[in-house]
Every structure is written in C-alpha cells, then in structure tokens.
C-alpha cells in the first residue's frame, strides 16, 4: 500500500476537541483544500450516525476527519461513505486484523463486533468524512453498553498498533478509493465493497416501523443494501432510513 499524495497534505492536530468533524466542517466552509485532515487525541462530543454518541476517550484510539471535495452529482454523494469503508477495512486488515469485514453502510466489524465507523456530513460542496477507529487493546475505557459490542484493532490483530503508523496506513488505503469514487461514482466501488462484506452476519433492520431479520447479499449499483430476509424475500435498504444491528446468537 503506497502513501497518500493529497489526503492529509494539510493536517491539523489537537490534543482534544469537541469533534474533529466540527473543526473540519468549519474548515470546509471557509475553503479548506481537498484532503485537509483534522486528528485529535480525544473528543468531548464525538458523534456517530443517527445522532449517536461516539465515545472518544483520550490517548488510545483514532479520531480523524477529512475534507473531501467530491465532484459527483448530489444524488450519488451519500455512497461516498462506502468508498471510505473499503479503504478503512483494507487499512485495518493491513494492520493485522485479517478477520475484519464491512457491515453496511460503513461499520468495520470482526466477528460481529465493531472496531471502526464512518460518519459523512455535507458542508456545501464538500463532504466531511469522520472516521473513528478503536485502536488500542481493551474496551474497558468505553461505556459498558458500547464495550459489549466493540472490539479493537490491537485485540483483533493480537499485536500492538502504533497510532501515527496506522494513520499513515489509513490515509494511503483511503486515497485510491476516494479517487475511484470521484472518477466513477458508486458503480466504481460496489464490487470492492461487496468483496469485503461480512456476508454471514445475521442482521436486523428497522425500516418504517417494521423489523426484518436476514443477511446481506450485496449492493445495488447505487450503493443500496440488498438484504435477504429470513423469509427469503430480498429487500432494498437505503441509507438514512434504517437502523441495522447484529443479531446476537441465541
Ligand atoms: C458511526 O459508526 O456511527 C460513525 C462514527 C464516527 C466517529 C468519528 S470519530 C472522528 C469524527 N468525529 C466525530 O465526532 N465523529 C467522527
């Protein structure tokens, strides 16, 4: 995996902040260059998808947001998160967590336990890509309800992973997928995403008040999830509509 050329060329680092995405959104709105990144050692108001809190204790994990100026039509942009997921899972695997896979739309999981997530937010013509990675061994610094469903790169790899080195690995892994998405849109990355999907993971989705259990069978060309329900019916799942959870073993 080669190093990045434009991603992270402008880099801002904080010991702590509310959210690296808050800082990156502000920078994006004031014209920051494509590929500007913000990293922090801790976040006091880290956020995840669907208004959830992203626990961000100091010192141990990676909190990074990048300003991406995406030339795709508005309708395609929500699929950028899938391109990020592909690069992210490649970086996590290259760091030693060979069993890592993607849970739609953009969680990285090992045996159903989450170790990284992506939150994309629009800022005018830019998108701020926020990435949180549980890096260092042990989940005892996370809230108990999060820790029960979480793992870390070090735990999955079984060896130490240094944060600065992982950041370089991540930027190098992400950049080609962001470039591919910019050139070809969702259709250019759905095959790669599907190849890295956690295929056997039992999932439950809540869609318009209805609960459907089943498993992922792939993506439509626009990036929507194809989920085969336990009743055999194939459902199309569109981002933003659903919560999607791993079904715990009986
Ligand atoms: C999710 O899985 O729900 C997405 C989590 C995204 C967390 C990252 S950490 C860096 C950036 N700053 C935030 O406040 N959120 C994202």
């Amino acid at each position: 995996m080669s190093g990045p050329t434009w991603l992270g060329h402008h880099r801002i680092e904080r010991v702590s902040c509310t959210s690296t995405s808050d800082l990156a959104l502000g920078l994006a709105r004031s014209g920051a260059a494509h590929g500007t990144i913000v990293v922090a050692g801790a976040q006091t108001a880290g956020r995840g998808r669907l208004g959830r809190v992203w626990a961000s204790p100091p010192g141990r994990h990676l909190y990074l947001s990048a300003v991406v100026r995406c030339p795709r039509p508005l309708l395609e942009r929500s699929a950028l998160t899938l391109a990020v997921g592909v690069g992210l899972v490649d970086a996590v695997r290259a760091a030693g967590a060979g069993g890592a896979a993607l849970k739609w739309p953009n969680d990285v999981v090992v045996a159903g336990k989450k170790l990284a997530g992506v939150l994309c937010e629009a800022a005018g013509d830019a998108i701020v890509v926020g990435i949180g990675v549980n890096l260092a061994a042990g989940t005892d610094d996370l809230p108990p309800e999060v820790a029960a469903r979480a793992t870390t790169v070090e735990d999955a790899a079984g060896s130490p992973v240094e944060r600065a080195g992982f950041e370089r690995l991540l930027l190098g892994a992400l950049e080609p997928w962001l470039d591919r998405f910019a050139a070809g849109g969702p259709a250019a990355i759905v095959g790669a995403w599907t190849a890295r999907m956690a295929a056997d993971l039992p999932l439950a989705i809540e869609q318009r008040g209805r609960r459907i259990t089943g498993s992922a069978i792939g993506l439509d060309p626009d990036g929507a999830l194809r989920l085969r329900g336990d009743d055999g019916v194939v459902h199309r799942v569109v981002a933003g509509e659903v919560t999607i959870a791993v079904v715990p073993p009986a």
Side-chain angles (χ1 to χ4, degrees):
M1 225 176 269
S2 56
T5 56
W6 54 266
L7 185 58
H9 187 66
H10 298 280
R11 181 179 184 279
I12 291 155
E13 181 167 2
R14 294 276 184 275
V15 174
S16 178
C17 63
T18 54
S19 157
T20 53
S21 290
D22 286 344
L23 298 185
L25 283 165
L27 290 166
R29 288 189 188 108
S30 48
H34 178 54
T36 299
I37 65 166
V38 181
V39 292
Q43 300 182 117
T44 54
R47 56 178 176 271
R49 289 181 64 241
L50 307 169
R52 295 181 183 131
V53 169
W54 185 259
S56 309
R60 295 172 53 80
H61 304 306
L62 182 83
Y63 316 114
L64 180 149
S65 297
V67 176
V68 175
R69 301 206 176 266
C70 180
R72 303 307 303 178
L74 214 53
L75 266 177
E76 289 184 357
R77 287 193 197 167
S78 61
L80 176 76
T81 195
L82 301 171
V84 176
V86 172
L88 177 56
V89 76
D90 283 355
V92 167
R93 287 177 177 179
L102 289 166
K103 169 178 164 274
W104 190 88
N106 50 26
D107 292 354
V108 179
V109 297
V110 173
K113 294 198 162 190
K114 179 163 172 171
L115 57 68
V118 181
L119 172 69
C120 291
E121 296 170 287
D125 70 333
I127 296 173
V128 166
V129 175
I131 301 173
V133 184
N134 302 334
L135 210 53
T139 52
D140 49 348
D141 57 347
L142 299 175
E145 67 283 5
V146 175
R149 291 176 284 108
T151 187
T152 78
V153 179
E154 282 192 353
D155 285 336
S159 56
V161 178
E162 188 241 336
R163 194 170 66 183
F166 182 78
E167 182 189 316
R168 277 191 300 278
L169 188 63
L170 175 62
L171 297 175
L174 281 176
E175 193 181 273
W177 292 107
L178 296 175
D179 284 340
R180 235 174 261 199
F181 185 84
I189 49 98
V190 292
W193 194 98
T194 305
R196 293 159 177 77
M197 169 178 88
D200 297 329
L201 204 59
L203 299 173
I205 66 167
E206 296 281 340
Q207 194 171 35
R208 294 185 286 273
R210 209 157 55 107
R211 181 180 159 89
I212 302 164
T213 56
S215 53
I217 55 171
L219 299 179
D220 278 340
D222 65 352
L225 176 70
R226 289 168 61 76
L227 179 119
R228 190 189 309 283
D230 293 334
D231 57 1
V233 176
V234 175
H235 301 266
R236 179 180 149 84
V237 184
V238 178
E241 266 185 355
V242 295
T243 61
I244 182 157
V246 179
V247 178

